[in-house]
Amino acid sequence: MANPPDLSFVPDDEGKDKFKKSHQVAFYKRRMQGPNCRHRALLDSLVLTEKGARFELEELATQSKLLLLLSPCKSGMIRLLIDELHPVKARYRVKDVLVDETQCEKLRLEEQTEEYVALLWSTCQHRLRVWRFPFQVEILCGDKVLVTLNSQGKLWFETLQMQKYKDNLLFSGKTNLESLPLCVFSEPRVTAVRSEVGATFAAYFSIEITQRCSSLFCVCAGPNSVGLDFCLHDIHHVFGLPEHADHLRLRDTRGGEPYRLYNLDVFAYDLHSRLGLYGSVPLLVAHSPDRSLGIFWLNASETFVNISHNPNDLQDEQTPPLKRRRVQPHTNVHWLSESGVIDCMVLLGPSPQQLFTQYAQLTGFQTLPPVFALGYHQSRWNYNDDTDVRQVDAGFDSHHIPYDVLWLDIEHTDGKRYFTWDPVCFPDPSGLQRHLEKKKRKLVVISDPHIKVDPDWSIYCEARDGGHFIRSRDGHVFEGTCWPGITSPCSVQVLFTSFKSTSVPGPSSYLDFSSPHTRAWYSRLFSLDKYEGSTATLHVWNDMNEPSVFSGPEQTMPKDAVHDGGWEHRELHNLYGFYQHMATVDGLMTRSGGFERPFVLSRSFFAGSQRLGAVWTGDNVATWEYLKISLPMLLSLSVAGIMFCGADVGGFVQDPDPELLVRWYQAGSLQPFFRGHSERQTKRREPWLFGEEVTAAIRTAIQHRYCLLPYWYTVFHQSHTSGMPVLRPLWVEFPEDTTTFDLDNQYMIGGALLVCPVTDPGAGDVSVLLPGPDQVWYDVQSAVAHSGGRTLNLPVTLETRGGTVVCRSEGSGSCSWEYQQLPLSVTVASDTQGSADGELYLDDGWSFRYRDEKAFCRRRFTLHSGRLLCGSPVGEEGTFDCSRVIQSVTILGVKDKPSSVSVTGVKKPPPFKYEGTCCRLTITNLGLSVAEDWKIKYH
């Protein structure tokens, strides 16, 4: 939730113009206008260590020295780190994102000449070649070069400088150091502040006292941006780098803006833009029919990424085919960050599955969410009061629409003080939560990172006195403006226009979540005895955590604000929301004694956020264009590891017409995080407010979601254990089918279901590519089979892939808990050979017993030669006492009518039905235990 578009709290900083383009960012312009630095590798400096190889690099013009570390890892990646050889001040390195220290392979020397050193490791499949001059690193598979680092000579490493000043510049006070040339210094923290460079540009330099005596003192100052380029050979398709409202495939940036990774609060963001949005994942995924590669750039400062495809698309069209074939396709990727070190990992794949596993081993696997979190969530800014919440809850029951979670935005608090409740509108919050819990439903409340400046509020005083706030460059607690101070009654009829004219945002201070001490303090605030009115069923929503600062530059934190350890905000800006997300998850984990799985939604994120919870695409708009763009946005998040993601159904801003609302519910029901949410200026849009026809369509979409929960949960478990995305671009499942590489309007849920949502008004059908000429696809509703490798116009949104198994719940209920008690139906879609396999994963759906006590039930289904077997995978025996039964089995693609059907353990042959027009065999009244092995045979 951002400030509304007609309400700016930043003087002379109105609208979208407040956000910078690349030419307005000093370090980017300085680098792009400057010459390429020329580096050489000092090959005789090679040292082989337990963790790889060590080289020294020298920049020819300045003779400054850098340290290069190359570390092959056992999981199939190579880590490259470049730092100053003799730094006068340690540079910031990202912490807490990598889950474990990577296990390194030992390198050995293969060949050494005057021009290069060749190194290889255990399997001998991959090699490294380090060239002396110009310095380059090649990664090879056999004799084929896969990736070249510094192929265009764009290695850039601005080093901090030590400057000495005479004693007559010393002072007795806090401001006289402003007389230092090109710097302003701050006491008592003596940390980093701003410097002016040139006549028009402000660059942000690190400044620190490193030595002080009676005659002089030394200041460490200067710009410290870093950059490096990569050539990806035989690659023409790259993906990732969320978050941007743009296509899935990353575009050539020549002649336009680079992709910006800088977390910002952008209300009603522009479409098809490379402007940074709420979160950043510096992972680029490259794919060709032969191989998948990845580049993970571990840097949390402002980052730009330029991409050039060679030959580019325009040249492809204009170049004669014979000449075009002689040009080897490749993609150049140039990374540039404001500060820190160069710390990057090249993921070698070679398959998409291996690539995603490698990345998950680096930054963490997708957390397994509680089942209720996969149900439908109903939210609004804001539900007015206790009575309003109860009426909305009752409305779902009276209209027979299942849902799991109701959400409360900022108005539920007492004067925008988080961890409080409005005493008039919500006088009995624990009673409200108990009312929902009786129906097995949950309540989620918002908790933002800014704390209202209020000396009479105990949480503010604790944070101030405990040193938990970010500080300004002058050493005082930083104060900015956000929601506190904007007051309005509970009535939903208070609109933006009214509080714009009567309310002024008050000051807030911002918690320093980069500090482990602050995160621990914040986590304890969620304890039941500390958070009055909360219960064990209350879950949390972190918003505005880019961080959003209405009065700040680009509506965020000033870069020279100071964090724990003296680090400037610029160093770790993109980590801020990740750290709040982490602290909130820790709080809910601690509240339950580590027994229950928490649910926390965060708007801002970074690499590794997948192991914490869910994210969403922020303040979207109720138009068809935003519905359409949500698909590639979610796919970009998914390939970058952020798999529990969704977009606000119906659009956060403006009012959708009934057709758009229905189509958005249909699309949202087939996405991982499924929430309807809108801002308070919009009309109420609970599903039953648009007439029975619309209500029926929305009810059907939500009910279909709930029936598919066993499949969703199984796919999430697969992601939790393998790193494979939940939502998958088609090329992930069909890596050699080039027709899928540019598609971003359809996708796979797991490996079985192909989805193509309707995103255009008045559409009666959709054009669907069915990939794989050797595949067979089945219409989910009619079971009609279609061969792959072609495009069809179909009046459906869902196809089942042959060779797969999908489990569903049979019946209806009011929430996920009730659906978990229902019997199951199993749909087996046979491939062209009459075979199929798939699995079902079950546990209690809410605790960590699946992990700590092996309390799970994992079943594998295999169809071959007219026999369907159900059993546990080898080595996967769980202890979960599962009482669910399989009531029916449907097998698609049965060419001939069976004469009989037999089931092991069932004395009386079960009834079955065969439909020859669609080759569908349905076996009913089975009552087979999920937890027991069984076999169905048809003749």
Side-chain angles (χ1 to χ4, degrees), residues 74-142:
K74 291 185 177 180
S75 54
M77 52 192 160
I78 297 170
R79 186 172 187 176
L80 176 143
L81 192 144
I82 300 177
D83 198 354
E84 298 179 55
L85 181 62
H86 300 295
V88 296
K89 176 183 179 292
R91 300 170 75 105
Y92 184 80
R93 296 194 183 188
V94 172
K95 299 182 296 183
D96 303 309
V97 169
L98 303 185
V99 291
D100 289 308
E101 187 67 25
T102 52
Q103 292 184 319
C104 298
E105 297 268 17
K106 290 183 174 62
L107 286 168
R108 64 180 184 272
L109 184 65
E110 180 190 36
E111 183 182 6
Q112 184 166 2
T113 70
E114 290 186 359
E115 294 303 318
Y116 67 85
V117 168
L119 303 164
L120 50 77
W121 58 100
S122 62
T123 63
C124 299
Q125 181 183 10
H126 291 98
R127 296 185 295 146
L128 291 171
R129 198 152 55 198
V130 180
W131 291 87
R132 182 183 66 85
F133 184 80
F135 161 67
Q136 291 183 355
V137 178
E138 292 177 331
I139 302 173
L140 301 91
C141 181

Side-chain angles (χ1 to χ4, degrees), residues 339-383:
S339 61
V341 299
I342 294 176
D343 188 0
C344 60
M345 294 81 171
V346 179
L347 313 180
L348 298 175
S351 70
Q353 291 85 350
Q354 290 169 303
L355 173 71
F356 293 126
T357 299
Q358 289 160 1
Y359 180 69
Q361 289 171 337
L362 269 181
T363 63
F365 288 83
Q366 169 64 52
T367 187
L368 182 62
V371 171
F372 80 80
L374 299 179
Y376 175 64
H377 302 247
Q378 180 67 34
S379 181
R380 180 175 175 81
W381 178 26
N382 201 85
Y383 284 119

Side-chain angles (χ1 to χ4, degrees), residues 165-176:
Y165 295 94
K166 296 295 184 180
D167 185 61
N168 59 10
L169 291 177
L170 295 180
F171 66 103
S172 58
K174 292 186 178 180
T175 57
N176 292 346

Side-chain angles (χ1 to χ4, degrees), residues 171-329:
F171 66 103
S172 58
K174 292 186 178 180
T175 57
N176 292 346
L177 277 177
E178 292 178 1
S179 59
L180 288 177
L182 284 182
C183 69
V184 182
F185 209 81
S186 62
E187 288 272 6
R189 282 208 166 213
V190 290
T191 50
V193 293
R194 177 183 300 192
S195 297
E196 298 294 329
V197 175
T200 59
F201 293 98
Y204 295 93
F205 295 169
S206 270
I207 301 177
E208 182 176 334
I209 289 181
T210 57
Q211 181 182 354
R212 188 168 183 170
C213 61
S214 59
S215 59
L216 58 87
F217 66 90
C218 300
V219 173
C220 174
N224 60 342
S225 62
V226 298
L228 185 64
D229 68 277
F230 299 75
C231 179
L232 307 178
H233 300 275
D234 290 322
I235 293 287
H236 205 60
H237 291 81
V238 290
F239 313 91
L241 301 183
E243 183 178 37
H244 301 92
D246 205 1
H247 294 292
L248 172 62
R249 182 191 175 191
L250 301 178
R251 294 180 288 165
D252 195 304
T253 61
R254 287 174 291 189
E257 282 292 300
Y259 288 94
R260 189 187 191 196
L261 297 176
Y262 192 60
N263 297 358
L264 292 170
D265 175 5
V266 188
F267 181 84
Y269 42 83
D270 290 336
L271 302 183
H272 304 296
S273 167
R274 300 168 196 159
L275 173 74
L277 295 180
Y278 309 96
S280 298
V281 182
L283 173 69
L284 179 138
V285 174
H287 181 69
S288 72
D290 300 323
R291 175 178 289 270
S292 294
L293 293 168
I295 300 174
F296 178 49
W297 181 266
L298 186 55
N299 193 299
S301 67
E302 182 178 9
T303 298
F304 290 94
V305 186
N306 272 301
I307 294 169
S308 59
H309 299 295
N310 297 282
N312 64 29
D313 296 331
L314 183 62
Q315 290 172 326
D316 277 350
E317 295 173 359
Q318 295 178 346
T319 306
L322 290 177
K323 186 176 181 180
R324 191 186 311 160
R325 281 198 296 269
R326 290 196 290 268
V327 179
Q328 181 188 24

